[in-house]
Amino acid sequence: MKATKKEMIYEGKAKKIWSINEDENLLLAEFKDSLTAFNGIKKSQELGKGALNNKISTQIFKILETNGIKTDLIETISDNEQIVKKCTIIPLEVIVRNIATGSLTKRLGIKDGTVLPFALVEFCYKNDDLNDPILNDEHALLLNAIENQDELNYLKNEAKKINSILKEFFIKKDLKLVDFKIEFGKDVDGNIILADEISPDSCRFWDAKTNEKLDKDRFRQDLGNVKVAYEEVLKRILS
Ligand code: 5GP
């Protein structure tokens, strides 16, 4: 579809969100080349990263839609732009983990690389000033981050479904889906839909044979070849 930008309504670390002249119920998401970590403390630019994430996320959202997950994606219209359904983002980061690494190992002392006996779902409060703290169901309700327990249960179930679909998909591409962060929004009709993006910025992917990291940990841990890794993920997804 043809879309012309009207007004920038939000700029985050990885995307700009615009209203468009053609439809007030749709928005344009522009993927940026900026790379950030540790709540924006570490910053860099990687030319072409936005386009890679746009392509990767588009493909993943399409796979999820095919498998019955409702998402905000309408159409990807250029290298780094997509048209999405307008929705109000629920201020919870939903994290699903299959293998222990990152903050889980630090918080609970679980050995890095431990395969978890079940997919672990966690919620973090989307609040940069507070450093996105982890919270439980009652905290989420207390903060009015979500309306009720049924909606929280829905997020958990949807996150587990998304994990099952993607874990199976990625292992066929020789990638272990270690963990990922997703966000949900409520559309104008009040339906909860998957929003934001799913990309190497928000997931951890390890090569199934070598455990080589193919995600933003390459930037977080100064491992180099960030873009090469993202390109490899895209290549495998499209293969
Ligand atoms: P951890 O809690 O171990 O730092 O992260 C768990 C997973 O969620 C990782 O795949 C990580 O990339 C993702 N994640 C956690 N917080 C954020 C965030 O604020 N932004 C993005 N893009 N991903 C996040």
Side-chain angles (χ1 to χ4, degrees), residues 58-91:
T58 297
Q59 199 58 23
I60 294 175
F61 272 48
K62 281 185 180 167
I63 290 159
L64 292 172
E65 282 275 358
T66 309
N67 283 278
I69 303 292
K70 295 272 169 279
T71 79
D72 69 344
L73 179 64
I74 302 288
E75 192 183 330
T76 297
I77 56 164
S78 78
D79 267 2
N80 66 341
E81 295 169 318
Q82 48 179 251
I83 300 298
V84 297
K85 241 191 217 182
K86 190 185 259 183
C87 62
T88 309
I89 295 289
I90 296 169

mmCIF file of all heavy atoms in Angstrom, residues 58-91:
data_model
loop_
_atom_site.group_PDB
_atom_site.id
_atom_site.type_symbol
_atom_site.label_atom_id
_atom_site.label_comp_id
_atom_site.label_asym_id
_atom_site.label_seq_id
_atom_site.Cartn_x
_atom_site.Cartn_y
_atom_site.Cartn_z
ATOM 1 N N THR A 58 9.407 -9.159 9.906
ATOM 2 C CA THR A 58 8.285 -9.371 8.975
ATOM 3 C C THR A 58 8.075 -10.864 8.742
ATOM 4 O O THR A 58 6.952 -11.377 8.828
ATOM 5 C CB THR A 58 8.582 -8.684 7.620
ATOM 6 O OG1 THR A 58 8.681 -7.282 7.851
ATOM 7 C CG2 THR A 58 7.496 -8.971 6.600
ATOM 8 N N GLN A 59 9.177 -11.549 8.466
ATOM 9 C CA GLN A 59 9.086 -12.985 8.175
ATOM 10 C C GLN A 59 8.548 -13.752 9.398
ATOM 11 O O GLN A 59 7.687 -14.627 9.264
ATOM 12 C CB GLN A 59 10.494 -13.481 7.784
ATOM 13 C CG GLN A 59 10.530 -14.776 7.047
ATOM 14 C CD GLN A 59 9.722 -14.751 5.749
ATOM 15 O OE1 GLN A 59 9.477 -13.686 5.176
ATOM 16 N NE2 GLN A 59 9.255 -15.920 5.298
ATOM 17 N N ILE A 60 9.031 -13.390 10.581
ATOM 18 C CA ILE A 60 8.591 -14.087 11.799
ATOM 19 C C ILE A 60 7.114 -13.795 12.069
ATOM 20 O O ILE A 60 6.337 -14.709 12.400
ATOM 21 C CB ILE A 60 9.475 -13.690 13.002
ATOM 22 C CG1 ILE A 60 10.908 -14.193 12.790
ATOM 23 C CG2 ILE A 60 8.911 -14.242 14.304
ATOM 24 C CD1 ILE A 60 11.904 -13.772 13.854
ATOM 25 N N PHE A 61 6.691 -12.544 11.925
ATOM 26 C CA PHE A 61 5.275 -12.223 12.151
ATOM 27 C C PHE A 61 4.386 -12.963 11.150
ATOM 28 O O PHE A 61 3.298 -13.409 11.494
ATOM 29 C CB PHE A 61 5.048 -10.700 12.076
ATOM 30 C CG PHE A 61 5.252 -9.989 13.401
ATOM 31 C CD1 PHE A 61 6.381 -10.225 14.180
ATOM 32 C CD2 PHE A 61 4.327 -9.073 13.886
ATOM 33 C CE1 PHE A 61 6.578 -9.576 15.407
ATOM 34 C CE2 PHE A 61 4.503 -8.419 15.113
ATOM 35 C CZ PHE A 61 5.631 -8.671 15.862
ATOM 36 N N LYS A 62 4.863 -13.106 9.907
ATOM 37 C CA LYS A 62 4.067 -13.842 8.895
ATOM 38 C C LYS A 62 3.906 -15.295 9.298
ATOM 39 O O LYS A 62 2.828 -15.880 9.166
ATOM 40 C CB LYS A 62 4.731 -13.744 7.509
ATOM 41 C CG LYS A 62 4.473 -12.419 6.827
ATOM 42 C CD LYS A 62 5.046 -12.455 5.418
ATOM 43 C CE LYS A 62 4.806 -11.133 4.722
ATOM 44 N NZ LYS A 62 5.613 -11.027 3.480
ATOM 45 N N ILE A 63 4.990 -15.888 9.784
ATOM 46 C CA ILE A 63 4.931 -17.292 10.228
ATOM 47 C C ILE A 63 3.946 -17.417 11.384
ATOM 48 O O ILE A 63 3.126 -18.349 11.427
ATOM 49 C CB ILE A 63 6.342 -17.779 10.655
ATOM 50 C CG1 ILE A 63 7.244 -17.904 9.434
ATOM 51 C CG2 ILE A 63 6.277 -19.110 11.414
ATOM 52 C CD1 ILE A 63 8.720 -17.871 9.769
ATOM 53 N N LEU A 64 3.985 -16.475 12.306
ATOM 54 C CA LEU A 64 3.081 -16.527 13.457
ATOM 55 C C LEU A 64 1.630 -16.361 13.011
ATOM 56 O O LEU A 64 0.736 -17.082 13.483
ATOM 57 C CB LEU A 64 3.476 -15.463 14.486
ATOM 58 C CG LEU A 64 4.811 -15.723 15.189
ATOM 59 C CD1 LEU A 64 5.216 -14.539 16.046
ATOM 60 C CD2 LEU A 64 4.732 -16.994 16.058
ATOM 61 N N GLU A 65 1.384 -15.420 12.099
ATOM 62 C CA GLU A 65 0.010 -15.220 11.588
ATOM 63 C C GLU A 65 -0.502 -16.513 10.953
ATOM 64 O O GLU A 65 -1.637 -16.919 11.194
ATOM 65 C CB GLU A 65 -0.016 -14.092 10.537
ATOM 66 C CG GLU A 65 0.034 -12.696 11.115
ATOM 67 C CD GLU A 65 -1.331 -12.124 11.534
ATOM 68 O OE1 GLU A 65 -2.361 -12.799 11.349
ATOM 69 O OE2 GLU A 65 -1.336 -10.996 12.082
ATOM 70 N N THR A 66 0.360 -17.161 10.164
ATOM 71 C CA THR A 66 -0.019 -18.422 9.510
ATOM 72 C C THR A 66 -0.409 -19.467 10.552
ATOM 73 O O THR A 66 -1.232 -20.333 10.296
ATOM 74 C CB THR A 66 1.186 -18.961 8.686
ATOM 75 O OG1 THR A 66 1.642 -17.914 7.864
ATOM 76 C CG2 THR A 66 0.828 -20.158 7.849
ATOM 77 N N ASN A 67 0.189 -19.346 11.742
ATOM 78 C CA ASN A 67 -0.092 -20.318 12.804
ATOM 79 C C ASN A 67 -1.123 -19.801 13.812
ATOM 80 O O ASN A 67 -1.196 -20.290 14.937
ATOM 81 C CB ASN A 67 1.210 -20.677 13.523
ATOM 82 C CG ASN A 67 2.051 -21.633 12.693
ATOM 83 O OD1 ASN A 67 1.827 -22.835 12.693
ATOM 84 N ND2 ASN A 67 3.000 -21.089 11.956
ATOM 85 N N GLY A 68 -1.884 -18.799 13.411
ATOM 86 C CA GLY A 68 -3.040 -18.388 14.220
ATOM 87 C C GLY A 68 -2.778 -17.319 15.262
ATOM 88 O O GLY A 68 -3.650 -17.038 16.087
ATOM 89 N N ILE A 69 -1.586 -16.702 15.249
ATOM 90 C CA ILE A 69 -1.309 -15.622 16.212
ATOM 91 C C ILE A 69 -1.697 -14.280 15.574
ATOM 92 O O ILE A 69 -1.258 -13.969 14.468
ATOM 93 C CB ILE A 69 0.199 -15.597 16.595
ATOM 94 C CG1 ILE A 69 0.654 -16.960 17.162
ATOM 95 C CG2 ILE A 69 0.505 -14.448 17.552
ATOM 96 C CD1 ILE A 69 0.066 -17.336 18.495
ATOM 97 N N LYS A 70 -2.487 -13.506 16.284
ATOM 98 C CA LYS A 70 -2.901 -12.185 15.761
ATOM 99 C C LYS A 70 -1.788 -11.168 16.034
ATOM 100 O O LYS A 70 -1.310 -11.041 17.172
ATOM 101 C CB LYS A 70 -4.177 -11.706 16.451
ATOM 102 C CG LYS A 70 -5.388 -12.582 16.147
ATOM 103 C CD LYS A 70 -6.089 -12.118 14.891
ATOM 104 C CE LYS A 70 -7.130 -13.092 14.388
ATOM 105 N NZ LYS A 70 -6.593 -14.227 13.604
ATOM 106 N N THR A 71 -1.361 -10.466 14.978
ATOM 107 C CA THR A 71 -0.284 -9.484 15.119
ATOM 108 C C THR A 71 -0.724 -8.129 14.559
ATOM 109 O O THR A 71 -1.750 -8.024 13.892
ATOM 110 C CB THR A 71 0.995 -9.926 14.364
ATOM 111 O OG1 THR A 71 0.823 -9.635 12.974
ATOM 112 C CG2 THR A 71 1.293 -11.401 14.540
ATOM 113 N N ASP A 72 0.112 -7.124 14.805
ATOM 114 C CA ASP A 72 -0.222 -5.773 14.319
ATOM 115 C C ASP A 72 0.267 -5.535 12.896
ATOM 116 O O ASP A 72 -0.004 -4.494 12.308
ATOM 117 C CB ASP A 72 0.376 -4.716 15.263
ATOM 118 C CG ASP A 72 1.910 -4.648 15.207
ATOM 119 O OD1 ASP A 72 2.537 -5.586 14.680
ATOM 120 O OD2 ASP A 72 2.474 -3.654 15.700
ATOM 121 N N LEU A 73 0.979 -6.496 12.312
ATOM 122 C CA LEU A 73 1.602 -6.248 11.001
ATOM 123 C C LEU A 73 0.555 -6.236 9.880
ATOM 124 O O LEU A 73 -0.213 -7.177 9.722
ATOM 125 C CB LEU A 73 2.652 -7.328 10.697
ATOM 126 C CG LEU A 73 3.365 -7.188 9.347
ATOM 127 C CD1 LEU A 73 4.193 -5.910 9.270
ATOM 128 C CD2 LEU A 73 4.248 -8.397 9.060
ATOM 129 N N ILE A 74 0.548 -5.157 9.115
ATOM 130 C CA ILE A 74 -0.327 -5.068 7.939
ATOM 131 C C ILE A 74 0.495 -5.351 6.681
ATOM 132 O O ILE A 74 0.204 -6.249 5.924
ATOM 133 C CB ILE A 74 -0.985 -3.660 7.829
ATOM 134 C CG1 ILE A 74 -1.801 -3.344 9.093
ATOM 135 C CG2 ILE A 74 -1.824 -3.537 6.562
ATOM 136 C CD1 ILE A 74 -3.100 -4.104 9.258
ATOM 137 N N GLU A 75 1.560 -4.575 6.482
ATOM 138 C CA GLU A 75 2.360 -4.743 5.267
ATOM 139 C C GLU A 75 3.733 -4.095 5.431
ATOM 140 O O GLU A 75 3.842 -3.021 6.027
ATOM 141 C CB GLU A 75 1.615 -4.054 4.107
ATOM 142 C CG GLU A 75 2.162 -4.390 2.746
ATOM 143 C CD GLU A 75 1.434 -3.610 1.648
ATOM 144 O OE1 GLU A 75 0.249 -3.287 1.803
ATOM 145 O OE2 GLU A 75 2.104 -3.309 0.643
ATOM 146 N N THR A 76 4.738 -4.743 4.899
ATOM 147 C CA THR A 76 6.080 -4.158 4.899
ATOM 148 C C THR A 76 6.241 -3.417 3.580
ATOM 149 O O THR A 76 6.084 -4.012 2.506
ATOM 150 C CB THR A 76 7.124 -5.262 5.105
ATOM 151 O OG1 THR A 76 6.853 -5.803 6.401
ATOM 152 C CG2 THR A 76 8.540 -4.751 5.070
ATOM 153 N N ILE A 77 6.475 -2.109 3.653
ATOM 154 C CA ILE A 77 6.385 -1.289 2.431
ATOM 155 C C ILE A 77 7.736 -0.830 1.890
ATOM 156 O O ILE A 77 7.805 -0.330 0.781
ATOM 157 C CB ILE A 77 5.472 -0.053 2.637
ATOM 158 C CG1 ILE A 77 5.953 0.796 3.818
ATOM 159 C CG2 ILE A 77 4.012 -0.467 2.795
ATOM 160 C CD1 ILE A 77 5.352 2.197 3.842
ATOM 161 N N SER A 78 8.793 -0.974 2.671
ATOM 162 C CA SER A 78 10.119 -0.615 2.145
ATOM 163 C C SER A 78 11.160 -1.339 2.985
ATOM 164 O O SER A 78 10.821 -2.061 3.928
ATOM 165 C CB SER A 78 10.344 0.904 2.204
ATOM 166 O OG SER A 78 10.660 1.278 3.525
ATOM 167 N N ASP A 79 12.425 -1.090 2.658
ATOM 168 C CA ASP A 79 13.513 -1.771 3.378
ATOM 169 C C ASP A 79 13.401 -1.632 4.890
ATOM 170 O O ASP A 79 13.655 -2.584 5.619
ATOM 171 C CB ASP A 79 14.860 -1.181 2.943
ATOM 172 C CG ASP A 79 15.455 -1.988 1.805
ATOM 173 O OD1 ASP A 79 14.794 -2.949 1.368
ATOM 174 O OD2 ASP A 79 16.558 -1.632 1.363
ATOM 175 N N ASN A 80 13.040 -0.423 5.336
ATOM 176 C CA ASN A 80 13.011 -0.251 6.802
ATOM 177 C C ASN A 80 11.677 0.299 7.328
ATOM 178 O O ASN A 80 11.640 0.869 8.412
ATOM 179 C CB ASN A 80 14.197 0.604 7.277
ATOM 180 C CG ASN A 80 14.108 2.015 6.777
ATOM 181 O OD1 ASN A 80 13.382 2.285 5.823
ATOM 182 N ND2 ASN A 80 14.818 2.917 7.399
ATOM 183 N N GLU A 81 10.605 0.064 6.564
ATOM 184 C CA GLU A 81 9.304 0.566 7.019
ATOM 185 C C GLU A 81 8.221 -0.499 6.900
ATOM 186 O O GLU A 81 8.170 -1.238 5.914
ATOM 187 C CB GLU A 81 8.864 1.753 6.155
ATOM 188 C CG GLU A 81 9.753 2.977 6.260
ATOM 189 C CD GLU A 81 9.413 4.011 5.194
ATOM 190 O OE1 GLU A 81 9.179 3.610 4.027
ATOM 191 O OE2 GLU A 81 9.388 5.197 5.506
ATOM 192 N N GLN A 82 7.376 -0.512 7.907
ATOM 193 C CA GLN A 82 6.187 -1.360 7.819
ATOM 194 C C GLN A 82 4.960 -0.609 8.312
ATOM 195 O O GLN A 82 5.065 0.313 9.121
ATOM 196 C CB GLN A 82 6.367 -2.686 8.558
ATOM 197 C CG GLN A 82 6.921 -2.605 9.951
ATOM 198 C CD GLN A 82 7.040 -3.977 10.619
ATOM 199 O OE1 GLN A 82 6.280 -4.259 11.534
ATOM 200 N NE2 GLN A 82 7.977 -4.816 10.201
ATOM 201 N N ILE A 83 3.811 -1.027 7.777
ATOM 202 C CA ILE A 83 2.541 -0.450 8.211
ATOM 203 C C ILE A 83 1.948 -1.406 9.235
ATOM 204 O O ILE A 83 1.880 -2.619 8.999
ATOM 205 C CB ILE A 83 1.570 -0.274 7.012
ATOM 206 C CG1 ILE A 83 2.186 0.649 5.957
ATOM 207 C CG2 ILE A 83 0.226 0.258 7.488
ATOM 208 C CD1 ILE A 83 2.472 2.063 6.433
ATOM 209 N N VAL A 84 1.564 -0.842 10.374
ATOM 210 C CA VAL A 84 1.016 -1.678 11.442
ATOM 211 C C VAL A 84 -0.324 -1.120 11.903
ATOM 212 O O VAL A 84 -0.625 0.060 11.709
ATOM 213 C CB VAL A 84 1.994 -1.766 12.655
ATOM 214 C CG1 VAL A 84 3.292 -2.431 12.254
ATOM 215 C CG2 VAL A 84 2.266 -0.394 13.264
ATOM 216 N N LYS A 85 -1.097 -2.016 12.522
ATOM 217 C CA LYS A 85 -2.370 -1.608 13.121
ATOM 218 C C LYS A 85 -2.090 -0.728 14.322
ATOM 219 O O LYS A 85 -1.193 -1.046 15.119
ATOM 220 C CB LYS A 85 -3.067 -2.867 13.646
ATOM 221 C CG LYS A 85 -4.380 -3.166 13.030
ATOM 222 C CD LYS A 85 -5.038 -4.264 13.843
ATOM 223 C CE LYS A 85 -5.770 -5.185 12.929
ATOM 224 N NZ LYS A 85 -6.469 -6.232 13.646
ATOM 225 N N LYS A 86 -2.838 0.340 14.462
ATOM 226 C CA LYS A 86 -2.659 1.180 15.651
ATOM 227 C C LYS A 86 -3.081 0.384 16.883
ATOM 228 O O LYS A 86 -4.128 -0.261 16.884
ATOM 229 C CB LYS A 86 -3.539 2.425 15.516
ATOM 230 C CG LYS A 86 -3.253 3.469 16.557
ATOM 231 C CD LYS A 86 -4.236 4.621 16.464
ATOM 232 C CE LYS A 86 -3.632 5.809 15.757
ATOM 233 N NZ LYS A 86 -4.526 6.961 15.700
ATOM 234 N N CYS A 87 -2.273 0.393 17.917
ATOM 235 C CA CYS A 87 -2.702 -0.239 19.168
ATOM 236 C C CYS A 87 -2.036 0.457 20.347
ATOM 237 O O CYS A 87 -1.051 1.170 20.185
ATOM 238 C CB CYS A 87 -2.429 -1.752 19.161
ATOM 239 S SG CYS A 87 -0.719 -2.219 19.009
ATOM 240 N N THR A 88 -2.623 0.272 21.501
ATOM 241 C CA THR A 88 -2.042 0.836 22.723
ATOM 242 C C THR A 88 -1.156 -0.239 23.326
ATOM 243 O O THR A 88 -1.625 -1.329 23.662
ATOM 244 C CB THR A 88 -3.165 1.185 23.725
ATOM 245 O OG1 THR A 88 -4.127 1.970 23.032
ATOM 246 C CG2 THR A 88 -2.638 1.936 24.919
ATOM 247 N N ILE A 89 0.125 0.057 23.422
ATOM 248 C CA ILE A 89 1.061 -0.958 23.914
ATOM 249 C C ILE A 89 0.828 -1.222 25.401
ATOM 250 O O ILE A 89 0.732 -0.291 26.202
ATOM 251 C CB ILE A 89 2.531 -0.504 23.664
ATOM 252 C CG1 ILE A 89 2.820 -0.426 22.154
ATOM 253 C CG2 ILE A 89 3.528 -1.434 24.357
ATOM 254 C CD1 ILE A 89 2.904 -1.746 21.419
ATOM 255 N N ILE A 90 0.708 -2.476 25.752
ATOM 256 C CA ILE A 90 0.615 -2.877 27.160
ATOM 257 C C ILE A 90 2.027 -2.741 27.746
ATOM 258 O O ILE A 90 2.978 -3.296 27.176
ATOM 259 C CB ILE A 90 0.103 -4.342 27.257
ATOM 260 C CG1 ILE A 90 -1.327 -4.429 26.709
ATOM 261 C CG2 ILE A 90 0.192 -4.868 28.692
ATOM 262 C CD1 ILE A 90 -1.857 -5.836 26.507
ATOM 263 N N PRO A 91 2.189 -1.994 28.863
ATOM 264 C CA PRO A 91 3.558 -1.693 29.316
ATOM 265 C C PRO A 91 4.246 -2.847 30.049
ATOM 266 O O PRO A 91 4.793 -2.686 31.136
ATOM 267 C CB PRO A 91 3.361 -0.472 30.221
ATOM 268 C CG PRO A 91 1.980 -0.625 30.739
ATOM 269 C CD PRO A 91 1.175 -1.311 29.668
#
